[in-house]
Amino acid sequence: MRVGLFGGSFNPIHIGHLRAAEEDREILGLDLVYFVPAASPPHKMEGELASAEHRLQMVRLATKGNRHFMVSDVEIRRIGRSYTVDTARFFRATLRQPATLYLLMGADAFAELDTWKDSAELMRLCNLAVHTRHTNGSGTSKDNRIAAARQFGYTRNGNSYVHSSGQTLTFVDTTVLPISATLIRSKLRAGHSVRYLVPADVCDYIARHSLY
Ligand code: ATP
């Protein structure tokens, strides 16, 4: 079984997340993709963060109806900061069938991977799948991604990269949707519509709970 783990603050979840996960699933042949909302993301400012329960609920609403999409509340139930390495260890220990794990992330997240807790162990625990992300960050260009891959100890093997542990790194060419949760929050703050940027149920949920 091939399982993808897709972590994020999902503050809120939007169609950029959903489409990237769907294309990663299709291209990598994943059986399941687990969306894992962070309780307390180490790299984010807390001021604008909706409660973990609200973000979890929005992820549930957004993913229902896709039989390949699962939602895990493991980071929300865990006390303290949410570290992906702890989540990868948890999935390694608890998945019932032997599984190949893929950690899904955008190129912006990959560019910062060396700042993540125990990133070297994370690269030994799972395969990495890095999909396209439109940002102005210099770390997201293809040359920079390849340089980072080498620096992290991956060597090229055909279309992907292999770590000394045997785990792989794949750059997945997904449709670029230049949408971020920051954009959605700023539209909401300005009183603008976010319809069609987030699933309809998420749009209704935000309005009903007066989020952002
Ligand atoms: P914010 O704007 O609040 O920083 P975000 O939109 O970047 O949030 P996160 O929840 O921080 O969303 O992102 C979780 C993961 O989803 C990251 O790996 C990120 O690269 C990826 N991601 C976010 N938006 C997109 C998008 N539009 N297309 C592809 N991947 C995305």
Side-chain angles (χ1 to χ4, degrees):
M1 184 160 78
R2 293 157 79 86
V3 174
L5 302 180
F6 191 24
S9 42
F10 300 119
N11 183 38
I13 189 164
H14 52 72
I15 60 161
H17 295 125
L18 292 160
R19 184 65 205 169
E22 177 68 359
E23 292 191 23
D24 284 346
R25 181 195 67 71
E26 198 171 36
I27 292 167
L28 299 167
L30 304 177
D31 300 290
L32 296 175
V33 174
Y34 281 89
F35 288 70
V36 191
S40 168
H43 292 92
K44 301 275 178 172
M45 305 272 286
E46 297 222 343
E48 286 194 305
L49 195 63
S51 76
E53 273 313 315
H54 280 320
R55 290 180 290 110
L56 176 65
Q57 203 47 42
M58 290 189 279
V59 172
R60 287 200 171 119
L61 289 170
T63 53
K64 76 170 195 280
N66 184 330
R67 67 191 170 86
H68 300 286
F69 284 179
M70 304 283 139
V71 182
S72 168
D73 63 0
V74 62
E75 293 195 357
I76 285 172
R77 280 189 282 108
R78 196 188 296 143
I79 297 189
R81 290 243 170 244
S82 304
Y83 293 112
T84 305
V85 68
D86 297 327
T87 303
R89 287 187 194 119
F90 171 84
F91 274 90
R92 274 254 151 274
T94 56
L95 280 175
R96 268 184 243 124
Q97 295 181 36
T100 308
L101 281 186
Y102 285 82
L103 187 63
L104 314 182
M105 68 183 79
D108 57 319
F110 179 66
E112 295 180 355
L113 193 63
D114 57 342
T115 67
W116 292 19
K117 183 178 174 232
D118 298 339
S119 55
E121 184 183 346
L122 192 56
M123 294 174 214
R124 287 193 296 273
L125 282 174
C126 27
N127 301 287
L128 302 188
V130 177
H131 59 245
T132 330
R133 176 93 203 255
H134 168 90
T135 59
N136 296 326
S138 57
T140 55
S141 80
K142 194 161 187 199
D143 286 350
N144 280 317
R145 279 183 284 160
I146 292 169
R150 294 219 176 89
Q151 202 187 319
F152 292 150
Y154 290 90
T155 49
R156 189 163 194 151
N157 182 5
N159 282 337
S160 72
Y161 291 79
V162 185
H163 194 253
S164 48
S165 62
Q167 303 282 11
T168 60
L169 161 68
T170 310
F171 294 113
V172 188
D173 254 327
T174 50
T175 307
V176 176
L177 294 175
I179 300 168
S180 66
T182 304
L183 170 82
I184 288 167
R185 294 193 302 272
S186 75
K187 281 190 181 296
L188 288 164
R189 265 199 315 274
H192 295 151
S193 161
V194 294
R195 230 172 142 190
Y196 310 122
L197 291 174
V198 301
D201 285 353
V202 172
C203 206
D204 294 345
Y205 188 94
I206 290 171
R208 200 161 357 108
H209 294 274
S210 310
L211 300 183
Y212 309 110

